[in-house]
Amino acid sequence: MTALPLQQIVLAGPRGFCAGVDRAIDIVELALQICPHPVYVRKEIVHNRHVVEALRAKGAHFVDELREVPDNATVIFSAHGVSPAVRVEAQRRALRVIDATCPLVTKVHLEAIRYAREGYTIILVGHADHDEVVGTMGEAPDRMFLIAHPEDVDKLKVADPTKVAYLTQTTLSVDDTRDCIEALRRRFPKIVGPTKNDICYATQNRQAAVKTVAGEVDVLLVIGAANSSNANRLVEVSTVMGTPSYLINDKNDIRPEWLEGAARVGVTAGASTPEFLVSEVVEALRLLCSAAVREVHVVEEDVRFGLPRELEDMAHGAGKTLPPRSGAVAVSG
Ligand code: SF4
């Protein structure tokens, strides 16, 4: 490849792991230390192949459905949450469950349960087939409708338009979601919902960082998995701002033609992406040119979630003490 005119690599911050992902990975690692093996994980613990492979190498068994888990075994639910039907099935099978659902996803489940109990029809703004949406819809399947775009609002058939509530997936585009909620308010003036929306702090902060960086670079690389909702939204945010953006799994996906003529390249990572992948991408770019690295940080994050009670109980039952959480990311390349 010919020398690039690249002069600067701009790193977006915050980027990468959020508190929910950090906690979910810790849960699997701790369960592998205190629970009898094999330890099963239902679905990808977080949407990142590198994370899953690193945990698999440490002994975790990833399955798609509970039927692949033997009776009485230990199973961990992923950060995206599960529907009540999965919990019931796990209980019926006497599985030892450790729930790694992000507390911010659980909050949306609890809102769904409350609105359903109060007789509301619930409109969930989200993406069909995403694990989180499947789990949330399962809380009230008879009274919940899914929409993804403002145009979907007109197609809704609701029994009582004065008794409608909305909820949102945690990893949506802030701007697109606002458009959906405005369309819902126009159609259902009495609609109720969370104070703002359910988009989590990490998703909002990473999108805010991309908005700043996209305005300063010629192209933006987003490191994340194709099935990671929040990583895909980062690509969209940049693209909407007119800055071409590409989703890559790791440094091997970088295509030189994307960088041709670019003086500044931005780099960020979705909430499931380990930081070592960011370092590798920056190193790969620096091998192609002598660009300086600059970091743009729009907000500090200090969110940290506690471990699930059942994990502490299991450790206690096994006569073990949970090791302190370092806060360092244990997954590495
Ligand atoms: S992206 Fe948000 S909702 Fe999802 S795991 Fe991270 S903090 Fe939780």
Side-chain angles (χ1 to χ4, degrees), residues 18-21 79 102 104-105 170-171 200-203 230 271 305:
C18 60
V21 164
C102 175
L104 300 181
V105 173
T170 56
T171 50
C200 77
Y201 80 96
T203 299
N230 75 83
F305 298 128

Side-chain angles (χ1 to χ4, degrees), residues 259-297:
L259 307 172
E260 273 168 22
R264 290 171 305 268
V265 58
V267 177
T268 190
S272 311
T273 304
E275 183 65 13
F276 83 87
L277 293 176
V278 177
S279 304
E280 287 184 359
V281 164
V282 170
E283 277 312 301
L285 291 171
R286 295 199 73 189
L287 281 178
L288 298 172
C289 61
S290 54
V293 180
R294 182 166 65 89
E295 183 143 3
V296 170
H297 218 79

Side-chain angles (χ1 to χ4, degrees), residues 37-318:
H37 284 221
V39 171
Y40 293 85
V41 183
R42 182 183 177 275
K43 308 279 186 194
E44 290 187 333
I45 185 72
V46 301
H47 286 326
N48 188 278
R49 179 168 50 84
H50 294 271
V51 172
V52 169
E53 289 309 321
L55 293 172
R56 200 194 307 275
K58 292 180 179 180
H61 289 251
F62 287 88
V63 296
D64 274 333
E65 295 302 341
L66 287 188
R67 62 175 172 272
E68 299 165 64
V69 180
D71 288 353
N72 303 309
T74 302
V75 63
I76 301 171
F77 293 156
S78 83
H80 303 104
V82 298
S83 77
V86 174
R87 290 184 196 283
V88 168
E89 175 65 4
Q91 202 170 18
R92 188 187 69 75
R93 301 266 318 282
L95 300 176
R96 287 156 44 100
V97 171
I98 304 173
D99 190 357
T101 303
C102 175
L104 300 181
V105 173
T106 300
K107 172 177 168 282
V108 182
H109 281 240
L110 295 175
E111 288 167 347
I113 292 167
R114 177 166 65 83
Y115 285 132
R117 199 171 46 222
E118 293 173 1
Y120 285 92
T121 297
I122 303 164
I123 315 298
L124 177 65
V125 185
H127 297 286
D129 300 330
H130 188 279
D131 289 343
E132 179 187 327
V133 165
V134 172
T136 307
M137 295 284 290
E139 294 290 0
D142 301 335
R143 51 175 61 247
M144 205 180 302
F145 295 97
L146 181 67
I147 65 164
H149 309 287
E151 310 84 70
D152 298 337
V153 173
D154 284 341
K155 298 175 206 148
L156 289 168
K157 291 192 171 60
V158 171
D160 180 356
T162 67
K163 193 88 180 169
V164 180
Y166 75 85
L167 297 172
T168 74
Q169 189 180 336
T170 56
T171 50
L172 298 177
S173 150
V174 173
D175 296 332
D176 292 352
T177 305
R178 187 181 50 235
D179 294 345
C180 283
I181 293 172
E182 281 172 5
L184 284 167
R185 285 196 201 286
R186 279 195 297 276
R187 168 106 193 259
F188 308 110
K190 295 201 164 156
I191 196 166
V192 296
T195 319
K196 207 166 151 217
N197 55 52
D198 296 303
I199 300 174
C200 77
Y201 80 96
T203 299
Q204 299 199 29
N205 290 346
R206 280 149 191 70
Q207 288 178 22
V210 161
K211 280 186 181 171
T212 299
V213 169
E216 300 179 11
V217 299
D218 303 300
V219 60
L220 178 78
L221 302 180
V222 177
I223 311 166
N227 60 347
S228 163
S229 175
N230 75 83
N232 278 288
R233 303 294 82 76
L234 297 179
V235 173
E236 286 172 10
V237 166
S238 179
T239 306
V240 166
M241 287 184 66
T243 303
S245 181
Y246 302 97
L247 184 66
I248 57 174
N249 283 302
D250 52 40
K251 64 177 180 181
N252 300 316
D253 290 345
I254 300 173
R255 300 246 294 269
E257 59 265 32
W258 295 339
L259 307 172
E260 273 168 22
R264 290 171 305 268
V265 58
V267 177
T268 190
S272 311
T273 304
E275 183 65 13
F276 83 87
L277 293 176
V278 177
S279 304
E280 287 184 359
V281 164
V282 170
E283 277 312 301
L285 291 171
R286 295 199 73 189
L287 281 178
L288 298 172
C289 61
S290 54
V293 180
R294 182 166 65 89
E295 183 143 3
V296 170
H297 218 79
V298 300
V299 64
E300 292 298 327
E301 289 181 344
D302 60 357
V303 180
R304 191 147 171 86
F305 298 128
L307 294 170
R309 179 66 191 268
E310 60 270 23
L311 187 62
E312 304 201 12
D313 290 347
M314 285 178 192
H316 187 68

